[in-house]
Amino acid sequence: MEEEAETEEQQRFSYQQRLKAAVHYTVGCLCEEVALDKEMQFSKQTIAAISELTFRQCENFAKDLEMFARHAKRTTINTEDVKLLARRSNSLLKYITDKSEEIAQINLERKAQKKKKSEDGSKNSRQPAEAGVVESEN
Amino acid sequence: MADHNPDSDSTPRTLLRRVLDTADPRTPRRPRSARAGSCALGTLMWLWNLRGTGLERLRCLGARRALLETASPRKLSGQTRTIARGRSHGARSVGRSAHIQASGHLEEQTPRTLLKNILLTAPESSILMPESVVKPVPAPQAVQPSRQESSCGSLELQLPELEPPTTLAPGLLAPGRRKQRLRLSVFQQGVDQGLSLSQEPQGNADASSLTRSLNLTFATPLQPQSVQRPGLARRPPARRAVDVGAFLRDLRDTSLAPPNIVLEDTQPFSQPMVGSPNVYHSLPCTPHTGAEDAEQAAGRKTQSSGPGLQKNSPGKPAQFLAGEAEEVNAFALGFLSTSSGVSGEDEVEPLHDGVEEAEKKMEEEGVSVSEMEATGAQGPSRVEEAEGHTEVTEAEGSQGTAEADGPGASSGDEDASGRAASPESASSTPESLQARRHHQFLEPAPAPGAAVLSSEPAEPLLVRHPPRPRTTGPRPRQDPHKAGLSHYVKLFSFYAKMPMERKALEMVEKCLDKYFQHLCDDLEVFAAHAGRKTVKPEDLELLMRRQGLVTDQVSLHVLVERHLPLEYRQLLIPCAYSGNSVFPAQ
């Protein structure tokens, strides 16, 4: 049993490392873009620091999101939780709010489309009948 | 006249029978009496030997019978009785046996019944040796053989023999008073020599000797038992006379200490009823009462301001005020009350550094708070609070049921009265402060207190400043937004332990301002997130978790236990009391 726990630990750790590596890579790419944009170079340590910071902050976010969801007596993390998380930074909050609105809209549209499709489907079934009737009439 | 054979085969029964057959000290017949006497003596010795349970002695006894014919029957009987007392079965007197034996039909009797008869027929005059035959003591036993041997000689010899203090009986032979006293002394001697006292009462269980025995027994109840058993010695306790002077001095010294501290510390169970000021009123210490009332008032206020928190109409300042005002009110309450305002001010004041500005600032805060409240939504509640406070200070139990004065009027009155306050003990201050904080903690708008608690977990809330002398002065106007923060700034400067620039203090104030604003915003948002309109302790816990104060290892209760005094902990952490009651109710 202890061995299992150890192996699990190791697995988790390796998984964590892989995630960190992924984050590091992404941060590196982003920093390159910014460097090209601002014509400033990023040192490796900076990128490493940023990636480490990002990773830890993601952990914090996750915990906070879970806390928020639990606080609202839910088990699923919602956009509300995310908005709560981002409220500190105004611009970020605004951005996220806009995004969430977009998403909400998209969802609504999708729902509407689905509804339409289902209605159309029923209409279409009727229409060919009518067309058939009309054609038959003709 | 040894009727019996000194040889073996003489059982106690046979011996007894012989004794009874032959002995009759009461008969007038001389030879018989003599014989009885001798026989009595013999029986005596024989009975004594019975104790020793040695048949050899019986034989000796029998052998010596003949030597005792000169003994007077009386004495013999006495002796008999005396020695008989020492017999194992509490034989009272051989004489009795002699009496009984006269009846004749003794052949069928058992030794037991024979002895019983002996006992019954014992004459009452003699007291005999108090040593109980019931509990043979080795010492007397050891003595008695010698006595017996000595008794071989004349009877007179026996008397002095009997008197040796091994047993108490010897001194009791003669019934005279003188002899009684002798007996007493002898008794004491005997006691000194290690006889157990229990023997004596038993030996004197005789009706005739009861009184005397009582006298004797009562004589030396506390004598140390024996040299042989020093552990059982009961020494009279060494009593020192009460030093009245020292006692009075101590009284005076203790009375000099401020009674408030004593009263507060001796409050064993602060009634955990948050809403009942009665208990607080019951305290004779008005400042303390005032402090408690301030708490309650603050609590009530927070309640009322809870909803106020939610409405943004007063805007952020109001929110902040609601948050800050909670704290401020706590302090300002001190100012706004009359008699308790005295204490309140004093309570609050000692918390600050000994800066006179502190007073003024607090007063300013009080004024500004009252101003705010006059304008804000908390006005009525504030006033109500103030009223309640004053009422409380008047030692009434109503909670804010009084009519509301104008806040300005109240503040005006109370400021004046507050200034006229006398110094209060510092102990009440931290308690009151913490009580307020705690109440704020408890109430739906616990933001500031919690914020303070959470922001200053390292800072112990127990701040005990010596009471500062009051100074009167004008109240400079202060920015109401920063009204409540000066207290914290003062705390900060105190704990910094080094002189600080004014600019630094201002920055600190600004930071605190932002911090509390954020705090209240968060609390509001959290409450809204949970679909509520009231801020609850769960929101606060979430906040503290985000702050990192509450972790998986450290829970909120742990922090409460660490940093809050017991009274507040009682109010915060539900605890089960007797009768299946949990307080505070969940």
Side-chain angles (χ1 to χ4, degrees):
Chain A
M1 289 205 13
E2 289 178 5
E3 293 177 359
E4 291 175 8
E6 274 187 30
T7 50
E8 266 190 44
E9 275 271 335
Q10 285 171 6
Q11 279 179 7
R12 271 219 334 256
F13 187 66
S14 65
Y15 188 61
Q16 214 180 21
Q17 297 291 69
R18 276 188 274 138
L19 285 173
K20 273 193 189 173
V23 166
H24 185 86
Y25 176 71
T26 317
V27 165
C29 293
L30 287 170
C31 285
E32 265 193 50
E33 285 185 27
V34 171
L36 286 173
D37 195 19
K38 307 281 180 188
E39 292 167 8
M40 272 279 247
Q41 293 302 316
F42 278 89
S43 65
K44 297 260 174 171
Q45 290 91 357
T46 317
I47 297 173
I50 294 173
S51 60
E52 181 71 24
L53 197 68
T54 318
F55 192 76
R56 285 200 199 161
Q57 196 66 344
C58 283
E59 282 185 20
N60 278 342
F61 285 161
K63 287 184 192 158
D64 286 350
L65 285 170
E66 187 196 345
M67 272 200 302
F68 290 149
R70 200 181 302 145
H71 184 248
K73 299 183 180 89
R74 275 187 269 114
T75 50
T76 343
I77 292 177
N78 228 359
T79 49
E80 301 295 323
D81 300 327
V82 179
K83 281 194 224 168
L84 198 65
L85 190 71
R87 78 194 180 289
R88 276 300 165 108
S89 155
N90 279 344
S91 57
L92 184 61
L93 180 65
K94 191 158 168 278
Y95 182 76
I96 285 182
T97 325
D98 293 341
K99 280 282 176 186
S100 70
E101 282 172 12
E102 268 188 49
I103 291 171
Q105 265 200 341
I106 290 170
N107 286 346
L108 281 171
E109 285 169 12
R110 277 198 200 146
K111 275 187 187 172
Q113 282 176 8
K114 277 183 186 172
K115 262 192 175 178
K116 278 183 191 172
K117 276 184 186 172
S118 60
E119 288 177 8
D120 289 343
S122 58
K123 278 182 198 170
N124 288 341
S125 60
R126 265 184 274 139
Q127 275 176 4
E130 288 177 3
V133 167
V134 168
E135 287 176 358
S136 63
E137 282 177 6
N138 293 345
Chain B
M1 314 184 49
D3 295 337
H4 64 283
N5 313 339
D7 307 329
S8 60
D9 292 343
S10 59
T11 63
R13 181 196 200 119
T14 52
L15 287 171
L16 261 175
R17 207 182 305 147
R18 280 182 201 127
V19 164
L20 289 173
D21 288 341
T22 56
D24 187 10
R26 297 273 164 89
T27 60
R29 274 183 280 167
R30 222 27 175 123
R32 189 142 179 98
S33 66
R35 209 177 1 143
S38 65
C39 287
L41 190 58
T43 320
L44 248 170
M45 287 185 285
W46 168 78
L47 283 172
W48 168 79
N49 272 319
L50 261 185
R51 231 160 106 218
T53 66
L55 280 178
E56 308 84 39
R57 286 188 182 164
L58 282 170
R59 287 178 216 131
C60 287
L61 193 68
R64 278 158 195 164
R65 256 194 192 179
L67 299 173
L68 303 175
E69 302 186 6
T70 57
S72 66
R74 187 76 182 156
K75 279 195 176 172
L76 269 175
S77 63
Q79 285 251 329
T80 305
R81 282 175 237 125
T82 305
I83 300 174
R85 281 290 154 85
R87 296 306 166 247
S88 55
H89 307 288
R92 304 247 175 112
S93 166
V94 176
R96 287 191 185 166
S97 71
H99 266 297
I100 288 170
Q101 83 188 340
S103 60
H105 33 271
L106 299 167
E107 296 292 330
E108 301 77 29
Q109 287 185 0
T110 61
R112 179 184 216 150
T113 55
L114 289 169
L115 282 168
K116 202 168 78 178
N117 291 332
I118 290 171
L119 277 169
L120 289 171
T121 55
E124 306 172 8
S125 57
S126 75
I127 300 179
L128 295 184
M129 47 177 81
E131 93 183 73
S132 67
V133 184
V134 179
K135 288 189 183 173
V137 174
Q141 274 184 3
V143 171
Q144 301 215 3
S146 65
R147 204 154 39 110
Q148 182 213 1
E149 284 161 23
S150 65
S151 67
C152 296
S154 65
L155 193 62
E156 286 80 7
L157 277 178
Q158 285 201 4
L159 278 175
E161 299 279 344
L162 288 170
E163 294 198 25
T166 52
T167 65
L168 312 164
L172 302 178
L173 274 179
R177 294 238 170 214
R178 190 166 44 85
K179 290 285 176 139
Q180 268 187 358
R181 285 184 208 128
L182 246 185
R183 277 176 228 131
L184 190 61
S185 61
V186 164
F187 166 69
Q188 287 186 355
Q189 288 174 28
V191 166
D192 289 337
Q193 291 211 0
L195 276 181
S196 66
L197 292 174
S198 60
Q199 290 179 3
E200 202 233 357
Q202 286 168 18
N204 289 339
D206 198 17
S208 63
S209 58
L210 196 58
T211 49
R212 286 181 214 150
S213 67
L214 281 175
N215 292 337
L216 284 167
T217 47
F218 293 162
T220 59
L222 294 178
Q223 284 271 337
Q225 281 280 344
S226 64
V227 180
Q228 297 166 6
R229 297 182 223 163
L232 295 176
R234 270 186 277 161
R235 306 217 160 82
R239 289 204 179 93
R240 295 177 297 146
V242 174
D243 187 8
V244 179
F247 174 63
L248 290 174
R249 252 178 279 122
D250 287 339
L251 264 185
R252 234 184 301 122
D253 293 341
T254 52
S255 66
L256 282 176
N260 308 320
I261 296 177
V262 175
L263 290 164
E264 286 153 17
D265 291 341
T266 56
Q267 191 187 12
F269 308 100
S270 66
Q271 293 296 320
M273 308 297 285
V274 175
S276 68
N278 300 328
V279 182
Y280 298 128
H281 293 313
S282 67
L283 288 176
C285 170
T286 16
H288 195 53
T289 309
E292 304 291 355
D293 302 330
E295 297 172 35
Q296 297 162 17
R300 275 179 274 122
K301 162 137 193 83
T302 56
Q303 249 175 353
S304 56
S305 59
L309 254 186
Q310 302 308 319
K311 21 178 177 161
N312 286 328
S313 52
K316 278 209 170 180
Q319 273 190 17
F320 165 68
L321 280 182
E324 284 306 317
E326 321 282 308
E327 288 282 14
V328 179
N329 287 339
F331 311 131
L333 275 176
F335 303 110
L336 294 184
S337 67
T338 51
S339 58
S340 65
V342 168
S343 60
E345 249 186 321
D346 284 315
E347 291 161 1
V348 181
E349 205 186 9
L351 284 176
H352 309 329
D353 292 338
V355 183
E356 292 182 1
E357 294 179 356
E359 288 182 35
K360 299 169 192 168
K361 279 203 171 172
M362 296 311 295
E363 294 164 356
E364 291 167 14
E365 288 164 25
V367 167
S368 55
V369 165
S370 57
E371 284 177 356
M372 291 183 317
E373 281 138 10
T375 55
Q378 299 95 7
S381 62
R382 184 92 184 82
V383 161
E384 168 190 50
E385 224 181 351
E387 273 310 311
H389 202 57
T390 40
E391 281 186 2
V392 159
T393 61
E394 293 167 0
E396 291 188 5
S398 63
Q399 295 190 32
T401 54
E403 312 74 23
D405 293 334
S410 64
S411 61
D413 287 340
E414 285 139 353
D415 289 343
S417 61
R419 293 220 193 88
S422 57
E424 199 45 59
S425 70
S427 64
S428 60
T429 307
E431 260 207 51
S432 68
L433 188 64
Q434 286 154 35
R436 292 169 188 153
R437 286 191 185 169
H438 156 70
H439 270 273
Q440 294 155 6
F441 203 91
L442 188 82
E443 293 302 332
V452 172
L453 280 173
S454 53
S455 63
E456 307 168 353
E459 284 188 29
L461 295 174
L462 298 164
V463 177
R464 304 213 161 203
H465 292 249
R468 307 287 176 183
R470 316 224 87 252
T471 57
T472 63
R475 236 197 218 186
R477 296 278 151 172
Q478 239 200 357
D479 183 9
H481 284 210
K482 307 273 177 72
L485 290 177
S486 57
H487 168 64
Y488 293 106
V489 173
K490 298 256 175 353
L491 268 178
F492 179 86
S493 62
F494 168 77
Y495 280 111
K497 291 189 175 71
M498 22 199 290
M500 296 187 67
E501 285 183 342
R502 199 177 252 277
K503 288 245 165 185
L505 290 174
E506 282 174 16
M507 287 316 295
V508 167
E509 200 169 326
K510 271 195 203 151
C511 294
L512 282 172
D513 192 19
K514 284 215 181 286
Y515 176 79
F516 283 127
Q517 274 180 351
H518 256 151
L519 204 82
C520 298
D521 288 345
D522 283 354
L523 283 174
E524 180 195 355
V525 164
F526 290 159
H529 183 72
R532 279 185 268 112
K533 287 187 185 172
T534 336
V535 180
K536 287 242 153 107
E538 293 88 44
D539 305 323
L540 192 70
E541 177 157 6
L542 184 66
L543 179 74
M544 292 186 81
R545 194 169 265 277
R546 292 213 70 209
Q547 286 178 337
L549 291 168
V550 172
T551 65
D552 294 333
Q553 280 76 38
V554 178
S555 83
L556 186 63
H557 283 190
V558 170
L559 289 175
V560 167
E561 282 186 21
R562 261 190 225 161
H563 301 290
L564 290 184
L566 183 66
E567 289 83 8
Y568 308 146
R569 176 163 75 171
Q570 280 175 352
L571 291 169
L572 281 176
I573 299 179
C575 185
Y577 293 90
S578 73
N580 260 350
S581 66
V582 176
F583 183 85
Q586 293 281 347

